[in-house]
Amino acid sequence: MTKPDLVISIVNHSNPELLHDCLRTLYATTRECTFEVWVVDNATDGRGVEAMRRDFPQVRWLFNSARKGFSANHNQVLRQARGRHFCIFNDDTIVHEDAFDSLVRFMDENPRVGMAGARLLNADGTIQNCTFRPMSLSGQLFDLLFLPSPLHFLKRKDIDPAQYGHEDARVSWVLGACIVVREETLAEVGLLDEELSPLGNTEDTDWCVRAWKAGWEVAFCPEAVITHLTSRSFRPSATGPDKVRIELWRTRVAYFRKHHGRLREWMLRAILVGTLPYNSLVLTQTLLRGRIALPEYRRQLATFLRISEMGLRTRL
């Protein structure tokens, strides 16, 4: 049996309207390459599934009996599907004309590229951060700190400006909302790390870095354009600490331990602890000036406390 050019893996997080639009635009805009779409239903309530199965009978479905994390869901497809290329893809996306055809064409024309990402746009059409430089300690510091407006440019330290250009580029890593991986690269580099992404956080960085270490290139393909509706699949809770953000920092600590060793891991832990007094002070001043409501103040402070506590734990 001939392998399709591309296998696209999507996880259904009980967002049927988003997923339906994703599938509709995917099938309407992909004409040149052969492809299969697999959807992993992540133990949802089933809302909208019957309608999607009726409208898109060619989709292959997997059904979880219990909820799993980002990597574990996609790994189910990566283990059993067969294709020349694979794509992990978010359900909160709208596919533009020729996007996947462009990605497959790009991979075929660049045999040393093991992984590639598309140009991602926000809902308003502006460019979304999707290409990045190597993850650095200074970048983590600036990301965690409250900074005055004149210093906000420091928060972009680890962003690769290739995302603003119109030429393909080699980058350290691309955002996990859309990553195409070559079959041979997947066989050599392996599956997504399930310890780094119960909610979907640092597994994309790790996967791309592992590809570079194995001798493959990671690239940005600007001809492929996709609108990403930015974390519609995972929304922070309205009350209590922001579990998504806390999990993000847990996985970053694990990433530094895995790729940079214990010294840099503990330096990152020191950043998590050391930034708490300053961030708490800025947050309190914001409350006193009436720029933030008390419930939101408590939620953000609880989040910073949990992140700081993580820096002191011996086990994550």
Side-chain angles (χ1 to χ4, degrees), residues 240-287:
D242 185 341
K243 295 179 181 178
V244 174
R245 194 173 184 198
I246 293 166
E247 181 62 20
L248 169 65
W249 286 101
R250 185 198 69 79
T251 61
R252 288 186 181 181
V253 172
Y255 171 85
F256 268 79
R257 179 174 63 231
K258 180 176 181 177
H259 289 283
H260 300 295
R262 288 289 184 176
L263 176 59
R264 291 198 178 183
E265 175 200 345
W266 283 102
M267 292 174 71
L268 178 57
R269 287 174 178 271
I271 288 172
L272 302 189
V273 175
T275 53
L276 177 62
Y278 172 79
N279 280 338
S280 300
L281 176 61
V282 172
L283 195 59
T284 301
Q285 288 179 335
T286 305
L287 173 69

Side-chain angles (χ1 to χ4, degrees), residues 70 74 88-90 120 130 173-179 203-205:
F70 181 94
H74 284 298
I88 59 169
F89 196 50
N90 273 29
L120 300 183
C130 62
W173 60 281
V174 291
L175 196 68
C178 177
I179 300 180
E203 75 298 320
D204 46 9
T205 318

Side-chain angles (χ1 to χ4, degrees), residues 40-105:
V40 181
D41 185 80
N42 197 19
T44 71
D45 57 7
R47 183 170 56 93
V49 171
E50 183 178 347
M52 284 184 281
R53 298 188 79 176
R54 181 191 65 239
D55 292 346
F56 308 102
Q58 62 272 64
V59 171
R60 304 183 69 168
W61 287 77
L62 300 175
F63 291 91
N64 292 341
S65 57
R67 292 189 75 84
K68 297 182 179 181
F70 181 94
S71 291
N73 281 309
H74 284 298
N75 283 346
Q76 293 180 81
V77 178
L78 297 177
R79 284 190 185 98
Q80 61 186 286
R82 296 293 178 267
R84 295 198 304 113
H85 306 293
F86 298 83
C87 178
I88 59 169
F89 196 50
N90 273 29
D91 60 344
D92 53 348
T93 48
I94 297 172
V95 185
H96 292 230
E97 188 67 38
D98 199 41
F100 281 114
D101 291 327
S102 296
L103 281 165
V104 170
R105 190 163 53 245

Side-chain angles (χ1 to χ4, degrees), residues 198-226:
L199 294 175
N201 285 313
T202 316
E203 75 298 320
D204 46 9
T205 318
D206 168 74
W207 213 26
C208 293
V209 168
R210 283 157 52 200
W212 276 112
K213 288 182 176 180
W216 295 94
E217 297 174 351
V218 176
F220 167 61
C221 177
E223 290 184 15
V225 181
I226 290 164

